[in-house]
Amino acid sequence: MGVGYHLPVPRIRVLPDGLVNRIAAGEVVERPASVVKELVENSLDAEAERIEVEMVRGGCSLIRVTDDGCGMDPDDALLALERHATSKIASVEDLDHIASFGFRGEALPSMAAVSRFQLLTADDPQQGGVRVTVEGGKILGVEGAARARGTTVEVRDLFFNTPARRKFLRTPETELRHAQETVWAAALANPDVSFILRHGPRKLLEALPTSDPGQRLRDIWRRTAGPVHRFEARGGGVEVWGLLAPGSGSGRPSLTLIVNGRPVRDRLLVGAVRRVLGQAGGGLGGARVALFVTVPPDAVDVNVHPAKAEVRFARGGSVFAVTEKALREGVAASRGHVVVERVETSDWVAESEPLRSEYENSHRPPTILFAHPAYDEVGEPGDDPPVAPFAGAHSAAGPGPRPAPPDTPFGRLIGQYRSSFLLLEDEWGLVIVDQHVAHERVLYERIKDRLSAETAPAQRLLVPVLMELDDALVAALGRVEGLLSSVGIEVEPFGPGTLRVTALPPETDAESAREVVEALLERATALDGVPERVVDELAHELAASLSCRAAVKVNDSLSSEEQRALLNDLIATENPYRCPHGRPIVLRLSQDEMERRLGRR
Ligand code: ADP
Ligand code: MG
């Protein structure tokens, strides 16, 4: 082939099923945003690293998507315009594990049928690229064209030949908003790909590749004032994490939902989000939520919608419950309050292991089971009026009890329960703080800070602590000496098989130090690998075990000043609702739940 490659003389031909395409276009191509979605997904499937979307008049006049993906050779470029031509699946079995966005082979022919369309693509620039021009489904021209590897698709004058559909287009502003949300979702789901969005002369988005989805979010929600809160939960094979930007005023919350890396819509999840935000009461108007849901690939069917915009979950209950739980935490965190709820659903309970720690099993702290709101309680999204937590929600019982004003960051302190848990009330209900894990979190961060500080507060011991150990452990001292001294533990060799601890940080006693040093030496001898990674891991373990030993225990009675100080310290930590080992720190029993269980509603 080479430079001399000649395509057939340009000719007009009717796509074999041009009419079919026009009909199919009604399903796949609804509005400019759907064109953008399909084109961006094709670029992602082509493993593009940079995707640029340009639009004019909200995409009604022009949509152009340019990528640096794998491109197509001239034969494939023509084939791609045939209906059901796809390079992505070959057999029925492939349908069960679709990894690509596209697979139906309908998008390009559908949009070519209802626009003035151009495909410019090259898979090997040495061989030359090809430009295919189509208008209303008729191929007008096929010609060689120079292009770097990649693909540009242009869709002009959408629905120019289907006036009935054109009538359904809204104003360019509205169409732009939808298209923009589509690009946002794709950009969020693929932070490692660079995205650019232009509307006429304006650049609306420029997002450089990043490994941090939070950064991607900030690139997208540029105008979001205030902090963005991260939240997460898992259970029953479902993992949910998300970001919440509380928003400043009124208006509906907006949700970007990404399931297994695929931006989708789901009425139930939208309902769940609205409901949680609604129950949370004021201050969340116009909140933005991005939800990333991961389920096993066989637990979700992506082929239920022509534009692949909806999915069907095999275990919807789990997804729903875990999402609600995660989001509640996010909302609480966004207000400086904290919530960890135990959500159990019938199909979830058996697998909720990650939420039950050994500690809970052995110590059996009060476990509050939160009933899962019945599936059918969720109406159409938007049907749920925002429910103020207590105000007049239960007519028979009259207005519910009102919370007293908060006097700590977690609400009003009621007191200590069994010398082990702090009880508080906040505007949502009863708050239970596990004093041990709370203190552990506080100390953990304090110790971690020391690791990066210049000097650690160490107290020299009048009588050094001697430790007799295996030679192998003593030999490992060199690997952890620096780490130990950075937290304030000074250790030195002292004769054969013996170490001597000469200084300790203020909150550590000799016995704990002995145990911690020995455990650390054991870990250091067992751990191999990249030194920095090992050091990080050891530092975390060291901080976690020191803080665990030094923290107040259950059955330690605390004065009310001590309780308050602990809560104030806790709220100032990076993550006030998980201890360094991942255990929850705070449980909440909502007023709602309390009243339901007491038969008041
Ligand atoms: P699908 O994505 O469902 O396979 P499309 O009509 O969207 O169907 O695309 C048809 C085929 O064209 C794809 O399977 C792919 O092989 C090729 N294709 C489309 N867009 C691109 C692109 N941007 N880069 C490389 N190949 C593409
Ligand atoms: Mg496609």
Side-chain angles (χ1 to χ4, degrees):
M1 287 205 267
V3 190
Y5 180 79
H6 283 294
L7 286 154
V9 184
R11 60 178 198 255
I12 296 178
R13 68 171 192 185
V14 178
L15 287 175
D17 35 16
L19 184 59
V20 183
N21 284 332
R22 230 197 260 191
I23 297 164
E27 293 181 339
V28 184
V29 183
E30 209 184 331
R31 62 194 324 168
S34 29
V35 172
V36 168
K37 176 174 191 291
E38 293 294 338
L39 294 180
V40 167
E41 287 186 352
N42 280 349
S43 299
L44 289 168
D45 282 344
E47 302 196 318
E49 287 171 7
R50 183 180 183 281
I51 301 175
E52 177 163 352
V53 179
E54 295 164 276
M55 291 190 289
V56 174
R57 285 194 57 244
C60 304
S61 301
L62 168 71
I63 299 162
R64 182 191 292 131
V65 175
T66 304
D67 71 50
D68 61 355
C70 65
M72 287 172 265
D73 70 22
D75 290 341
D76 282 350
L78 280 173
L79 199 57
L81 294 168
E82 303 268 350
R83 190 165 161 76
H84 299 314
T86 176
S87 58
K88 298 166 195 171
I89 54 171
S91 68
V92 175
E93 289 78 56
D94 288 346
L95 265 181
D96 290 338
H97 32 82
I98 293 163
S100 58
F101 287 109
F103 53 84
R104 300 169 66 112
E106 286 180 326
L108 292 184
S110 297
M111 55 185 84
V114 293
S115 70
R116 300 184 220 276
F117 176 96
Q118 202 178 82
L119 169 65
L120 170 62
T121 185
D123 67 334
D124 178 358
Q126 303 283 308
Q127 307 263 313
V130 64
R131 185 195 313 272
V132 185
T133 311
V134 186
E135 193 171 299
K138 293 189 189 73
I139 295 192
L140 297 184
V142 181
E143 58 196 1
R147 196 204 183 287
R149 200 183 78 119
T151 303
T152 301
V153 175
E154 251 180 44
V155 173
R156 288 180 188 271
D157 306 327
L158 188 61
F159 301 139
F160 79 99
N161 56 345
T162 48
R165 299 208 63 86
R166 196 170 59 231
K167 264 193 245 140
F168 283 101
L169 288 178
R170 312 287 292 276
T171 62
E173 291 73 35
T174 303
E175 295 303 339
L176 173 63
R177 195 159 42 74
H178 285 279
Q180 191 169 7
E181 269 166 26
T182 303
V183 175
W184 283 353
L188 265 180
N190 301 277
D192 53 334
V193 176
S194 160
F195 277 84
I196 292 170
L197 172 62
R198 291 178 205 279
H199 189 239
R202 287 170 55 212
K203 198 191 267 181
L204 299 181
L205 170 69
E206 174 157 29
L208 297 175
T210 169
S211 56
D212 170 16
Q215 178 55 46
R216 178 51 60 94
L217 198 78
R218 284 188 284 279
D219 288 341
I220 292 172
W221 295 348
R222 265 184 303 189
R223 265 151 286 163
T224 302
V228 173
H229 302 277
R230 195 193 148 102
F231 53 88
E232 63 193 5
R234 61 176 66 199
V238 178
E239 263 179 59
V240 173
W241 75 272
L243 297 159
L244 167 71
S248 48
S250 51
R252 292 193 142 196
S254 84
L255 170 67
T256 304
L257 175 62
I258 290 157
V259 175
N260 288 2
R262 197 182 279 274
V264 292
R265 289 195 296 260
D266 185 271
R267 277 177 3 134
L268 285 171
L269 284 179
V270 170
V273 168
R274 292 231 165 97
R275 176 192 191 88
V276 171
L277 295 181
Q279 283 171 349
L284 286 169
R288 290 175 186 284
V289 178
L291 264 187
F292 298 78
V293 178
T294 309
V295 296
D298 61 355
V300 60
D301 184 357
V302 294
N303 192 23
V304 294
H305 187 275
K308 296 152 288 164
E310 283 168 20
V311 292
R312 185 181 295 136
F313 293 109
R315 279 169 294 176
S318 298
V319 176
F320 188 84
V322 177
T323 299
E324 277 209 332
K325 169 177 152 40
L327 186 58
R328 283 217 167 91
E329 266 184 42
V331 167
S334 78
R335 308 183 142 180
H337 289 242
V338 164
V339 54
V340 173
E341 291 191 18
R342 199 61 43 100
V343 186
E344 309 231 349
T345 66
S346 49
D347 58 346
W348 193 49
V349 61
E351 297 171 273
S352 60
E353 219 45 57
L355 289 173
R356 284 161 192 256
S357 66
E358 263 174 48
Y359 171 86
E360 284 160 353
N361 288 335
S362 55
H363 292 66
R364 303 211 168 277
T367 299
I368 297 170
L369 299 184
F370 283 77
H372 167 52
Y375 225 8
D376 52 11
E377 267 181 45
V378 184
E380 285 288 311
D383 284 359
D384 279 339
V387 183
F390 314 128
H394 21 75
S395 45
R402 309 219 130 259
D407 56 358
T408 81
F410 294 87
R412 189 186 71 83
L413 184 62
I414 298 170
Q416 201 183 15
Y417 170 75
R418 297 204 172 169
S419 301
S420 303
F421 300 95
L422 308 187
L423 299 188
L424 300 105
E425 64 172 312
D426 74 359
E427 81 223 58
W428 283 9
L430 189 63
V431 180
I432 304 160
V433 177
D434 182 326
Q435 65 188 34
H436 170 68
V437 281
H439 197 205
E440 205 178 331
R441 163 56 69 187
V442 169
L443 292 175
Y444 173 79
E445 294 197 5
R446 209 172 279 163
I447 293 166
K448 279 298 275 259
D449 284 348
R450 274 181 214 158
L451 287 167
S452 49
E454 290 289 287
T455 51
Q459 289 173 352
R460 299 217 70 80
L461 298 174
L462 291 175
V463 185
V465 179
L466 293 186
M467 301 176 61
E468 286 185 17
L469 295 167
D470 284 354
D471 288 344
L473 293 185
V474 173
L477 180 62
R479 293 183 70 183
V480 300
E481 221 175 353
L483 201 57
L484 286 168
S485 87
S486 63
V487 297
I489 304 181
E490 301 291 349
V491 186
E492 56 193 33
F494 186 70
T498 310
L499 293 178
R500 179 163 82 161
V501 182
T502 56
L504 287 178
E507 65 281 314
T508 307
D509 60 47
E511 194 42 44
S512 306
R514 206 195 292 265
E515 283 169 25
V516 167
V517 170
E518 183 168 353
L520 192 68
L521 289 170
E522 265 165 15
R523 290 290 287 138
T525 33
L527 270 182
D528 258 355
V530 196
E532 283 118 85
R533 186 130 18 96
V534 171
V535 169
D536 276 357
E537 199 173 325
L538 289 177
H540 166 75
E541 285 175 16
L542 178 62
S545 55
L546 279 176
S547 54
C548 181
R549 272 161 230 271
V552 297
K553 306 280 181 304
V554 291
N555 294 322
D556 275 351
S557 108
L558 300 177
S559 72
S560 122
E561 283 66 43
E562 287 169 327
Q563 296 171 33
R564 276 170 219 283
L566 177 56
L567 294 169
N568 284 323
D569 287 347
L570 179 62
I571 199 71
T573 61
E574 212 166 274
N575 186 347
Y577 45 96
R578 291 275 164 194
C579 87
H581 302 103
R583 251 150 55 185
I585 297 175
V586 182
L587 280 180
R588 257 189 78 255
L589 174 57
S590 71
Q591 177 67 15
D592 219 52
E593 187 60 26
M594 206 182 299
E595 294 191 0
R596 218 188 329 254
R597 299 221 166 203
L598 292 171
R600 292 180 70 91
R601 3 166 121 200

